[in-house]
Amino acid sequence: MLAPQWQAVELRLTGPRLDQPYVDADPWVDFTHSSGEVVSRPAFSDGGEQWGVRFASVHAEGTWTWRVRGEGWEPVTGTLTAAPAHADARHPALRHGFTRLAAGGRGLVHADGSPALVVADTAWAMPWRATVEDVGHYARDRQRKGFNAVLLMTVQPDMGARGPRGRNLDEGFEVGFEDLPQGRLTRLVVDYFRYLDDIVAVLVDHGITPVLQPVFHGFGWKGLQVAGPVVPPEDYVRYCRYLLARYGADPAIYLVGADGDGTEPQIAAGGAYLHEADAYGQPTGIHYRPHARNDAHQDAAWLDFQWCQTGHQGDHVPDRVATMWRQQPVRAVMNGEPTYERSGRSGKAEGWWQGHEAWSNLCAGAVMGVAYGAGSLWQWVVRPDEPGHEPFFLAPGAGWRGALELEGSRYVGLLGQILAGLPVHGAEPCWDVSLCTRGLLGTGELYIGYAEHGGRWVFLDADGRVPSSYWLLDPRTGELLASGERPPGRAVVEDPSSEEVPAPRVMICADRPPPFLEHTGQVRPPAAGQDGAR
């Protein structure tokens, strides 16, 4: 059996007969490469005596020998033949390797060192409300706009939620654990996760990484007493194990805490488990409620990132990101939940508000990435007048399909397209190389400036710190407005556009043209042996 590099392959196993296999068994499979490297993966219960193990080869050649271990398990063995990654895979992690923290701990890179900037959408309720066909429609839209991740509540978290079982039904939802309403996670519904397999497959096939949240700690779906702070930590850890086993051989980000203050005991237990058990080391972190310090477990070995939330009043608060960026020890940071577009009323956080929010958070230090959300989309409202939802979080007149079309999503996704392939993970907030109000500097290799109202760019102390080649863009459209070589000393770059109303601008200084400009045909790729072209 072939095991292409970074591509999940599944082995089917037969386990011992148990009353509660999900609770009572902990089988693992050790994969030993001909080089001597060992990758250990947990197996997952798939109903009765059926089990599966999913594995992605970290090598492009050689042989893997696998062996099952676990109490009561036969030590079955076998082999896999490693093969090169699929060059045409639509998800970058299947070509460049899974993501991990970059050196310095501020952002992410793929296993081969190439940059990985998170551009996340929010569809919390997708796993238990959407059909696979719905997800296909969603994924095509988000991929086209530039999103590469989506925040998901892996199960409906409200213990008090009531409604028919099913998808695309008013107030309906599917169930992942029969005993979640009692604050437990022991009675696994296997068919639910088999369906979630298909949802995840569609997302990954469209280049979108699932951000997997086990059980919410804050508002939840409808604010009806979330199970996250209630379930025993051992239940939470067991479920983290199941998510790792079932989805951890695909691109993933683990959000062990969501919408709490970060100190809930389930969070540390789940985070520590994933850190120890995930052979691929994919990112693990916390997403906070609006009124939080955003620094829980800052020094924990298992913590890779901290994501703040700035509430849904329509305020720009990049200060939260800047505060997290200064915390020690260093962790990757991001605003994981700005105001949802049109949350509760038309006009709130609408249109370019979202673009300004994303660029402002990035330049405040959120070099892990940016996030977007829309009213009616995150809770997957099946039609504009579906009953039972909190009006404050609904986009007036929109279900999830209508919310997909809200203008602001275009600008957040476009940020990801403009910056794709640039080493943003190594940049830091910078205020002293130009008169621009916001900027990021990766000394000698990259400068990104964002001017909310555009205008002339005046570079002061840039020599030797900022590459001399520059490109000036409109972040609302991606249009290249000017490019050239910055002269030494005090240098001024004029905006050549004739817009009468001040308009946002992004300045990129690098040794070669941003890949986005090459892909969109606005500049020519460098000729062989040349560093840059305009």
Side-chain angles (χ1 to χ4, degrees), residues 58 65 110 252 266 271 273 300 364 401 403 430 433 469-470 513:
V58 297
T65 301
H110 291 285
Q266 299 84 2
Y273 178 83
R401 285 180 180 266
C430 174
V433 298
S469 300
Y470 70 84

Side-chain angles (χ1 to χ4, degrees), residues 284-365:
T284 301
I286 304 174
H287 166 286
Y288 291 89
R289 66 192 184 194
H291 51 296
R293 291 175 52 88
N294 310 320
D295 62 357
H297 310 291
Q298 187 76 16
D299 60 353
W302 60 264
L303 184 76
D304 295 322
F305 64 84
Q306 304 274 35
W307 288 3
C308 69
Q309 176 186 169
T310 46
H312 298 280
Q313 301 298 329
D315 298 323
H316 296 294
V317 198
D319 323 54
R320 298 275 186 94
V321 171
T323 297
M324 292 193 301
W325 189 88
R326 291 191 295 267
Q327 291 166 351
Q328 294 293 324
V330 166
R331 295 290 181 252
V333 300
M334 180 171 141
N335 185 351
E337 192 170 325
T339 299
Y340 293 146
E341 188 166 10
R342 287 195 192 174
S343 182
R345 62 176 172 82
S346 297
K348 184 194 286 186
E350 195 168 62
W352 177 247
W353 187 101
Q354 296 290 340
H356 174 68
E357 173 76 3
W359 285 101
S360 298
N361 284 323
L362 179 86
C363 291

Side-chain angles (χ1 to χ4, degrees), residues 163-214:
R165 290 201 183 185
R167 301 170 185 271
N168 271 343
L169 299 175
D170 280 2
E171 302 190 74
F173 57 94
E174 291 290 356
V175 172
F177 288 92
E178 296 287 3
D179 53 353
L180 186 145
Q182 290 76 50
R184 296 300 306 271
L185 302 174
T186 63
R187 296 170 56 198
L188 183 86
V189 181
V190 169
D191 285 344
Y192 173 88
F193 290 96
R194 289 174 178 165
Y195 200 92
L196 185 55
D197 289 350
D198 296 335
I199 288 176
V200 169
V202 171
L203 294 171
V204 171
D205 189 51
H206 287 80
I208 298 173
T209 297
V211 180
L212 301 171
Q213 205 296 308

Side-chain angles (χ1 to χ4, degrees), residues 86-301:
H86 291 154
D88 59 350
R90 297 178 70 180
H91 197 295
L94 304 185
R95 303 190 303 272
H96 301 290
F98 298 154
T99 58
R100 55 176 172 79
L101 280 181
R106 294 290 191 189
L108 303 182
V109 293
H110 291 285
D112 67 0
S114 58
L117 183 71
V118 174
V119 185
D121 189 29
T122 306
W124 289 124
M126 176 193 290
W128 25 278
R129 300 214 81 198
T131 66
V132 169
E133 292 74 22
D134 291 342
V135 176
H137 178 86
Y138 167 90
R140 288 188 292 274
D141 177 271
R142 274 6 196 183
Q143 181 186 44
R144 175 174 53 82
K145 289 176 177 171
F147 289 92
N148 59 23
V150 59
L151 279 60
L152 303 175
M153 300 181 191
T154 55
V155 292
Q156 194 289 115
D158 291 4
M159 294 189 292
R162 300 292 183 269
R165 290 201 183 185
R167 301 170 185 271
N168 271 343
L169 299 175
D170 280 2
E171 302 190 74
F173 57 94
E174 291 290 356
V175 172
F177 288 92
E178 296 287 3
D179 53 353
L180 186 145
Q182 290 76 50
R184 296 300 306 271
L185 302 174
T186 63
R187 296 170 56 198
L188 183 86
V189 181
V190 169
D191 285 344
Y192 173 88
F193 290 96
R194 289 174 178 165
Y195 200 92
L196 185 55
D197 289 350
D198 296 335
I199 288 176
V200 169
V202 171
L203 294 171
V204 171
D205 189 51
H206 287 80
I208 298 173
T209 297
V211 180
L212 301 171
Q213 205 296 308
V215 188
F216 232 57
H217 294 87
F219 182 80
W221 181 35
K222 296 185 176 182
L224 299 174
Q225 195 182 7
V226 289
V230 176
V231 299
E234 58 268 28
D235 283 15
Y236 202 80
V237 167
R238 187 186 303 112
Y239 184 39
C240 287
R241 180 200 182 280
Y242 194 77
L243 293 175
L244 175 66
R246 193 144 199 152
Y247 306 109
D250 281 311
I253 295 174
Y254 300 106
L255 206 59
V256 290
D259 208 28
D261 68 7
T263 64
E264 296 84 355
Q266 299 84 2
I267 294 174
Y273 178 83
L274 287 169
H275 176 74
E276 178 182 0
D278 182 14
Y280 302 117
Q282 299 199 78
T284 301
I286 304 174
H287 166 286
Y288 291 89
R289 66 192 184 194
H291 51 296
R293 291 175 52 88
N294 310 320
D295 62 357
H297 310 291
Q298 187 76 16
D299 60 353

